[in-house]
Amino acid sequence: MICWNNLDTLKSYQALSAKNEKPDLTKVMAGEEGAQRARTYTVPMAAGLSYNYAAKQVNEDILSGLAALAEEAQLVEKYEALLSGEVINTGEKRLVLHQLTRGQLKGTVTADGVDKRAFYVAQQEKIAEFAAKVHAGEITNAKGEKFTTVVQIGIGGSDLGPRAMFLALENWAKKNGCFKMEARFISNVDPDDAAAVLNGIDVSRTIFVLVSKSGTTLETLTNESFVKDALAKAGLDAAHHMIAVTSETSPLAKSSDYLAAFFMDDYIGGRYSSTSAVGGAVLSLAFGADVFARFLTGAAEEDALSLEKDIRKNPAMLDALIGVYERNVLGYDATAVLPYSQALSRFPAHLQQLDMESNGKSVNRDGEPVSYPTGPVIFGEPGTNGQHSFYQLLHQGTDIIPLQFVGFRASQIGTDVVIQGSTSQQKLCANVAAQIMAFACGKQDDNRNKHFEGGRPSSIIIGDMLTPEALGALLAHFENKVMFQGFVWNLNSFDQEGVQLGKVLAKRVLAHETDGALKVFSDLLGI
């Protein structure tokens, strides 16, 4: 029987808190001990990736305590319950099925009288067929010209994830002959966002993907109107340039305003939707359905690893538990995500939403206040750019901020130049290796301005190259990490009521139904 209990009621957590161990990284990461940790504190992931936690403030005793916490909190059992179709989203009384979009791990899940795996596969097949016809020139513009660009119109999870995934694979696809169409994204209701995209494309040869589960998202429908106006001014029929990704019950589902409609449902939250039709349409048009399928394969393989009960064989669960230890025992309140890959330039922004929207909660899954910290603040930028930006605070600031590095041995482009005895990729990798050790060990100096305390914990996910499979595995790793942390904290990681209040007030402002300070701010902004 599964029990949902607050973290501070668990005996294993109480034991970890009482010990409050914090290994001294300046010592354990130096010399042969550090070399031994770097070799052994690593867990294989899917798609040839590995999770290395040698520079984290853990030891064998702490790891044993975390294993006990995973067992007492029934983390794998809760994941199995999710996969089996139990109602895990207690706030909205919904199933949680995003893993189902990339493969069935256990049994058959039926909801609303429908086999949901079959439903998601059918949508993937419809998208693949549509994309193939676009690429073959069977679906064209009014002049019979091929479409060359796809623009996604969406916000939040309908934008951040798919945008990050497209950017992650753009260079790889161009190098490997898989690049089919340029992709652009419109998300912000700020008209300058839509205008900037429209001014940089040939609208006559563009397909627009409108993504709104409900069909009522204000920002997205506003941008749709902006785009339709631009198409009309160009003498184009919007119905021949737009497709919809929505739910079967939304007003967009049966509209004649779209070339086609592909469906998602309420069992997949926006921030978890990159492997659904939300990401599938734009990525299949941009790279081809085969590349999207490879992306799903990597994610499915990583999902399977998350069923492993041994935390040293379950990278997502281990990463999650170390994060809980840092947050709740060591008191660190933020995490920096630092990919040493320009292709992952928007990946930290996606993880920011994934993590902070999921676990930014102060009540448990039953709506009762919790008395311990939950989700950390997530931020990040690609290396080496970040080194010349906020790393100063990371190295010498008053707060210790755990670091999550991501690095690859080879670039996506496959070509490089040798400058001063090393290639650009070698310089990139040298920087991430150096940063791990600099953060951990620091540097003694009598000049306090040049003194580095060290003791700054980090982990790194390492792979050979950022491929579709590796990207899928990377995405699933973090999705499952967030899920496991939500289980430990006894949260509902799958609703986001915190984003709703502002939407309600904004509608009042636009309807001029305001008073007090809200009216003053509305007047100041010229509404």
Side-chain angles (χ1 to χ4, degrees):
M1 177 180 175
I2 291 178
C3 298
W4 298 90
N5 297 308
N6 284 1
L7 173 64
D8 54 4
T9 68
L10 303 180
K11 292 181 179 179
S12 52
Y13 171 70
Q14 293 167 2
L16 281 167
S17 297
K19 291 180 181 179
N20 194 19
E21 291 185 76
K22 185 167 67 174
D24 186 347
L25 290 177
T26 64
K27 296 178 179 178
V28 300
M29 286 303 292
E32 183 53 37
E33 183 178 358
Q36 181 66 12
R37 282 175 67 98
R39 283 190 290 266
T40 58
Y41 275 32
T42 188
V43 182
M45 296 171 58
L49 300 176
S50 61
Y51 170 69
N52 188 296
Y53 57 102
K56 285 292 192 180
Q57 289 169 311
V58 296
N59 54 26
E60 294 302 313
D61 188 43
I62 294 169
L63 290 170
S64 295
L66 294 177
L69 177 59
E71 183 176 359
E72 186 179 4
Q74 300 176 292
L75 298 189
V76 171
E77 289 85 352
K78 288 170 182 174
Y79 179 37
E80 290 175 334
L82 180 152
L83 294 174
S84 297
E86 291 194 21
V87 176
I88 300 298
N89 180 348
T90 50
E92 297 169 311
K93 296 180 172 56
R94 292 173 180 166
L95 286 65
V96 176
L97 300 182
H98 56 275
Q99 283 101 341
L100 208 56
T101 62
R102 57 245 195 173
Q104 176 61 300
L105 297 177
K106 186 177 180 180
T108 299
V109 176
T110 301
D112 306 323
V114 175
D115 179 334
K116 298 308 294 186
R117 175 60 183 154
F119 171 78
Y120 298 140
V121 168
Q123 297 310 305
Q124 291 166 10
E125 291 174 348
K126 281 177 59 181
I127 290 169
E129 182 181 1
F130 180 84
K133 288 181 178 180
V134 170
H135 299 152
E138 295 176 34
I139 297 175
T140 65
N141 69 6
K143 294 181 179 180
E145 299 169 325
K146 277 189 175 185
F147 290 108
T148 57
T149 304
V150 53
V151 174
Q152 180 123 320
I153 307 170
I155 197 165
S158 300
D159 169 73
L160 287 167
R163 186 195 296 251
M165 301 308 123
F166 169 76
L167 292 174
L169 295 179
E170 182 179 13
N171 277 340
W172 177 89
K174 289 177 178 177
K175 173 66 178 178
N176 289 276
C178 304
F179 194 80
K180 307 293 186 181
M181 299 171 70
E182 294 285 349
R184 298 290 183 267
F185 297 83
I186 297 173
S187 59
N188 200 328
V189 74
D190 182 342
D192 288 342
D193 186 21
V197 171
L198 293 171
N199 289 338
I201 62 173
D202 180 353
V203 293
S204 72
R205 303 188 68 178
T206 299
I207 287 181
F208 295 88
V209 184
L210 183 77
V211 183
S212 175
K213 187 188 300 182
S214 66
T216 61
T217 309
L218 179 62
E219 295 95 334
T220 301
L221 295 183
T222 300
N223 280 326
E224 180 193 27
S225 296
F226 198 104
V227 167
K228 284 184 172 180
D229 184 62
L231 289 167
K233 288 178 179 176
L236 301 168
D237 182 355
H240 293 114
H241 287 263
M242 303 193 80
I243 64 176
V245 176
T246 189
S247 68
E248 291 182 292
T249 57
S250 93
L252 310 179
K254 307 299 182 183
S255 174
S256 60
D257 290 343
Y258 307 99
L259 277 167
F262 307 107
F263 301 125
M264 53 179 168
D265 55 40
D266 286 334
Y267 306 118
I268 299 175
R271 58 196 177 277
Y272 295 98
S273 66
S274 291
T275 52
S276 74
V278 174
V282 65
L283 296 177
S284 295
L285 285 166
F287 306 132
D290 290 346
V291 172
F292 183 65
R294 290 176 58 179
F295 170 63
L296 298 182
T297 295
E301 290 175 358
E302 191 64 28
D303 286 340
L305 287 177
S306 294
L307 287 167
E308 174 61 57
K309 288 196 173 184
D310 183 346
I311 66 170
R312 298 189 196 229
K313 297 179 181 178
N314 187 328
M317 188 161 69
L318 179 58
D319 195 1
L321 289 164
I322 292 174
V324 168
Y325 189 77
E326 290 172 333
R327 185 78 175 103
N328 296 97
V329 178
L330 302 183
Y332 304 147
D333 58 8
T335 297
V337 179
L338 309 169
Y340 275 63
S341 167
Q342 187 59 31
L344 294 174
S345 61
R346 293 297 291 168
F347 197 66
H350 170 59
L351 295 187
Q352 190 174 61
Q353 185 202 13
L354 172 66
D355 202 312
M356 295 173 71
E357 195 167 85
S358 295
N359 290 337
K361 312 285 173 64
S362 57
V363 298
N364 67 16
R365 64 199 308 274
D366 296 317
E368 301 165 343
V370 297
S371 57
Y372 45 82
T374 58
V377 173
I378 303 293
F379 69 97
E381 283 288 330
T384 58
N385 293 22
Q387 293 177 202
H388 297 269
S389 175
F390 52 80
Y391 275 39
Q392 168 61 44
L393 184 147
L394 300 182
H395 275 292
Q396 293 182 305
T398 55
D399 293 324
I400 292 180
I401 298 174
L403 316 164
Q404 175 74 72
F405 291 103
V406 180
F408 299 94
R409 299 178 187 94
S411 69
Q412 291 179 316
I413 61 171
T415 57
D416 209 338
V417 293
V418 176
I419 300 174
Q420 297 180 353
S422 60
T423 66
S424 299
Q425 187 66 22
Q426 288 171 330
K427 289 179 175 66
L428 182 70
C429 291
N431 270 276
V432 69
Q435 290 294 332
I436 292 171
M437 293 304 294
F439 279 116
C441 297
K443 180 176 77 77
Q444 298 296 315
D445 199 303
D446 291 337
N447 182 339
R448 297 301 296 178
N449 290 317
K450 297 182 179 182
H451 177 80
F452 292 72
E453 287 289 343
R456 314 275 167 146
S458 69
S459 61
I460 182 169
I461 293 174
I462 303 173
D464 288 328
M465 181 187 292
L466 184 56
T467 62
E469 292 86 350
L471 181 64
L474 194 64
L475 176 70
H477 172 90
F478 283 104
E479 287 181 348
N480 294 340
K481 173 186 176 180
V482 167
M483 173 191 70
F484 283 131
Q485 288 186 330
F487 290 162
V488 173
W489 287 320
N490 198 25
L491 306 177
N492 176 13
S493 301
F494 305 105
D495 66 2
Q496 57 283 334
E497 294 301 325
V499 306
Q500 302 302 325
L501 178 58
K503 293 181 179 180
V504 173
L505 292 179
K507 289 181 179 179
R508 281 178 49 190
V509 170
L510 292 172
H512 300 287
E513 298 172 354
T514 57
D515 55 19
L518 183 59
K519 184 178 189 310
V520 173
F521 282 120
S522 302
D523 292 343
L524 287 171
L525 288 163
I527 301 168

